[in-house]
């Protein structure tokens, strides 16, 4: 019994990963792995695996299996070692969670969600403490494109890449939402959770995470159509949140970030923009190069190990020269779907896309579907699986939601 309790507690430690550095998180993951192995042999949990479990493990681990196959057929290319290390949890979480599923309590997922929510709230509160310590309006006056004070403060304080931080905060907000409407907690607890979610939303707006904010409103629209009954109530809710979104864009730091989208033109980075970094459309340059690679190997791809080098060969043709040019920084595709197509072609992309979102039709959990929507949108603008934070976030919750099919 004590072993099972400790094993479930190890998941709570893993869920607190936003609070810790990569090094400490790695130690925590190692502890979880050791606990998983101990449970595996002590309880002989491998005896309970069914054919369905084997199938599900294989499907949820397909991303890593593709990397392994790519590694073998590339002649054991050293460029793939980093990806094999970073993405190992695509294999480890499904494998051990399915094998030991009988010893993972149903309430563990709920506890993990609350720990994750609390971890992100702590990060936000620390940042706001620093903001108020200096003075919000004082910082607002200094905030500009070349000196994004708020973005710098949140990034430096949390140590997390801001698109990922926005992603974590958005999902935490909806953890709070389902906690408020689905649990029987005391009223004052629900009010406290609601106010905490406001802090998280205010943080997203303040450090101007455009995709996170967009994801928030997309999910609001999804839940409006799914959860609210009656056309009038749906229309009223959508009108309310649309008005709220417009007010946010007009009267917050995110306004400058939205303006960047309209200020940049659909033209490749060139020397004429050397002193106008704010007008350079980096993503257009990235997508231009990505398209040129894809069109030549659209069906089978060029292999994960060749993506970075092929992109850089194209980037070298850009004459733009500044502190953030394509020679000084290593720009990936900034779109996981494009990365998959370049790596494995259209057929490989279809297979991997199906495995990533395999749980959509498997679970009845509304929160699980909110999580998958969050991931779907995040993959449009980020290579989420290129960083350990993104891999831990996706594989942990995706696997646990998958095996604990409950309404939350």
């Amino acid at each position: 019994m004590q072993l099972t309790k400790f094993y479930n507690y190890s998941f709570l430690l893993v869920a607190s990963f936003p609070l810790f550095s990569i090094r400490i998180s790695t130690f925590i993951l190692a502890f979880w792995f050791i606990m998983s192995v101990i449970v595996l042999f002590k309880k002989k949990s491998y005896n309970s695996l069914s054919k369905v479990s084997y199938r599900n493990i294989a499907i949820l681990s397909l991303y890593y299996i593709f990397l392994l196959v790519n590694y073998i057929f590339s002649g054991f290319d050293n460029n793939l070692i980093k990806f094999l290390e970073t993405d190992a949890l695509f294999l480890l979480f499904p494998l051990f969670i399915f094998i030991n599923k009988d010893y993972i309590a149903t309430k563990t997922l709920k506890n993990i969600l609350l720990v994750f929510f609390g971890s992100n709230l702590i990060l936000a509160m620390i940042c706001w403490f620093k903001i108020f310590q200096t003075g919000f309006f004082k910082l607002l006056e200094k905030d500009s494109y070349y000196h994004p004070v708020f973005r710098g403060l949140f990034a430096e304080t949390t140590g997390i890449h801001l698109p990922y931080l926005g992603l974590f905060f958005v999902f935490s907000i909806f953890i709070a939402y389902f906690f408020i409407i689905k649990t029987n907690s005391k009223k004052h607890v629900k009010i406290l959770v609601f106010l905490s979610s406001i802090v998280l939303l205010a943080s997203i707006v303040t450090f101007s995470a455009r995709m996170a904010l967009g994801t928030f409103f997309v999910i609001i629209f999804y839940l409006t159509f799914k959860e609210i009954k009656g056309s009038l109530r749906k229309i009223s809710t959508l009108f309310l949140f649309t008005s709220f979104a417009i007010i946010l864009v007009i009267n917050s730091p995110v306004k400058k970030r939205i303006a960047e989208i309209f200020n940049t033109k659909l033209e490749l980075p060139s020397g004429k923009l050397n002193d106008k970094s704010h007008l350079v459309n980096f993503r257009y340059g990235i997508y231009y190069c990505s398209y040129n690679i894809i069109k030549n190997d659209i069906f089978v791809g060029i292999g994960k190990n060749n993506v970075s080098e092929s992109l850089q060969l194209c980037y070298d043709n850009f004459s733009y020269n500044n502190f953030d040019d394509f020679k000084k920084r290593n720009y990936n595709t900034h779109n996981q779907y494009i990365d998959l197509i370049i790596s494995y072609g259209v057929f490989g992309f279809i297979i991997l896309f199906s495995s990533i979102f395999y749980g959509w039709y498997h679970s009845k959990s509304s929160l699980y579907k909110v999580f998958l929507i969050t991931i779907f949108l995040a993959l449009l603008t980020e290579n989420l699986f290129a960083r350990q934070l993104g891999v831990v976030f996706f594989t942990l919750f995706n696997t646990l939601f998958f095996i604990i099919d409950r309404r939350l």
Side-chain angles (χ1 to χ4, degrees):
M1 182 64 75
Q2 287 298 324
L3 175 61
T4 303
K5 282 185 178 180
F6 278 119
Y7 184 50
N8 281 271
Y9 289 150
S10 72
F11 280 99
L12 302 186
L13 274 175
V14 173
S16 65
F17 70 90
L19 288 174
F20 303 109
S21 66
I22 295 296
R23 185 177 181 181
I24 295 176
S25 294
T26 301
F27 281 117
I28 291 173
L29 288 167
F31 173 71
W32 170 84
F33 173 76
I34 292 169
M35 291 298 300
S36 296
V37 173
I38 292 172
V39 171
L40 171 69
F41 288 105
K42 283 279 188 180
K43 302 291 185 180
K44 297 182 179 180
S45 53
Y46 47 81
N47 290 326
S48 64
L49 275 179
S50 63
K51 290 183 179 179
V52 174
S53 294
Y54 284 118
R55 182 197 67 193
N56 289 333
I57 291 170
I59 291 173
L60 295 183
S61 303
L62 264 180
Y63 184 85
Y64 198 74
I65 293 171
F66 267 61
L67 282 175
L68 284 172
V69 173
N70 190 171
Y71 180 63
I72 294 170
F73 279 94
S74 67
F76 305 101
D77 192 296
N78 289 331
N79 292 329
L80 277 170
I81 293 295
K82 177 180 178 293
F83 294 109
L84 288 171
E85 292 175 352
T86 302
D87 297 312
L89 292 173
F90 266 97
L91 177 63
L92 295 179
F93 272 138
L95 180 62
F96 285 105
I97 288 176
F98 270 93
I99 291 176
N100 295 327
K101 64 181 182 298
D102 293 337
Y103 302 97
I104 301 174
T106 301
K107 67 178 182 180
T108 294
L109 177 56
K110 293 181 179 179
N111 292 337
I112 284 173
L113 290 168
L114 292 176
V115 168
F116 181 76
F117 171 81
S119 299
N120 285 290
L121 179 61
I122 290 171
L123 287 179
M125 293 298 289
I126 292 172
C127 292
W128 280 104
F129 174 78
K130 289 187 175 182
I131 289 172
F132 288 125
Q133 195 175 38
T134 305
F136 177 82
F137 292 104
K138 185 178 179 180
L139 291 174
L140 187 61
E141 289 177 3
K142 296 179 180 178
D143 192 59
S144 65
Y145 175 84
Y146 289 104
H147 188 50
V149 176
F150 291 112
R151 290 177 63 79
L153 187 148
F154 274 89
E156 183 181 342
T157 302
T158 63
I160 298 176
H161 187 43
L162 290 182
Y164 288 62
L165 188 65
L167 175 69
F168 298 163
F169 281 12
V170 164
F171 184 55
S172 295
I173 290 170
F174 289 103
I175 291 174
Y177 168 78
F178 282 96
F179 176 86
I180 291 169
I181 68 169
K182 299 286 186 179
T183 66
N184 296 319
S185 300
K186 294 180 179 179
K187 189 175 180 179
H188 71 273
V189 174
K190 291 187 176 184
I191 291 173
L192 185 61
V193 170
F194 174 75
L195 293 175
S196 299
S197 66
I198 295 297
V199 171
L200 292 172
L201 181 58
S203 300
I204 294 171
V205 173
T206 303
F207 65 78
S208 306
R210 293 175 300 194
M211 193 59 197
L213 196 57
T215 299
F216 171 78
F217 286 107
V218 168
I219 295 174
I220 288 293
F221 274 60
Y222 166 75
L223 291 176
T224 298
F225 283 103
K226 189 176 185 300
E227 303 282 334
I228 297 178
K229 296 180 180 180
S231 298
L232 183 60
R233 293 178 67 184
K234 288 180 179 179
I235 293 172
S236 301
T237 303
L238 292 178
F239 176 78
L240 176 65
F241 278 100
T242 301
S243 302
F244 177 56
I246 294 171
I247 293 170
L248 273 181
V249 170
I250 294 175
N251 298 286
S252 70
V254 79
K255 179 181 178 179
K256 296 174 184 176
R257 296 270 293 159
I258 299 294
E260 287 177 29
I261 299 174
F262 299 99
N263 290 334
T264 54
K265 299 178 181 179
L266 293 179
E267 61 180 56
L268 297 176
S270 62
K272 70 178 184 180
L273 298 174
N274 283 349
D275 59 344
K276 300 175 183 177
S277 178
H278 62 290
L279 297 179
V280 178
N281 195 327
F282 292 96
R283 288 187 183 269
Y284 182 70
I286 292 168
Y287 296 155
Y288 168 83
C289 288
S290 298
Y291 169 75
N292 281 292
I293 297 170
I294 289 171
K295 71 179 183 181
N296 294 323
D297 294 278
I298 190 169
F299 294 111
V300 296
I302 63 174
K304 179 70 175 175
N305 54 306
N306 296 315
V307 174
S308 181
E309 183 180 353
S310 297
L311 284 171
Q312 195 57 52
L313 285 173
C314 179
Y315 294 158
D316 287 342
N317 295 315
F318 299 152
S319 58
Y320 171 69
N321 185 18
N322 208 324
F323 70 95
D324 53 359
D325 65 36
F326 290 82
K327 294 180 179 64
K328 295 184 178 69
R329 296 192 182 186
N330 183 23
Y331 289 96
N332 59 30
T333 57
H334 280 72
N335 184 309
Q336 194 73 58
Y337 304 123
I338 291 176
D339 183 81
L340 292 176
I341 296 172
I342 294 177
S343 300
Y344 309 115
V346 171
F347 296 126
F349 164 74
I350 292 171
I351 294 170
L352 289 176
F353 182 88
S354 301
S355 75
I356 291 169
F357 297 102
Y358 180 56
W360 180 268
Y361 295 105
H362 174 86
S363 178
K364 296 178 182 179
S365 167
S366 296
L367 183 54
Y368 186 18
K369 294 193 173 183
V370 164
F371 171 75
L372 290 177
I373 292 172
T374 304
I375 295 296
F376 173 80
L377 294 173
L379 297 183
L380 287 170
T381 60
E382 290 296 322
N383 287 32
L384 192 64
F385 306 146
R387 295 173 186 251
Q388 182 177 296
L389 280 173
V391 176
V392 174
F393 177 63
F394 173 73
T395 54
L396 174 66
F397 288 115
N398 188 53
T399 311
L400 285 171
F401 272 125
F402 193 91
I403 67 163
I404 303 175
D405 185 15
R406 297 174 63 89
R407 290 187 178 275
L408 295 171

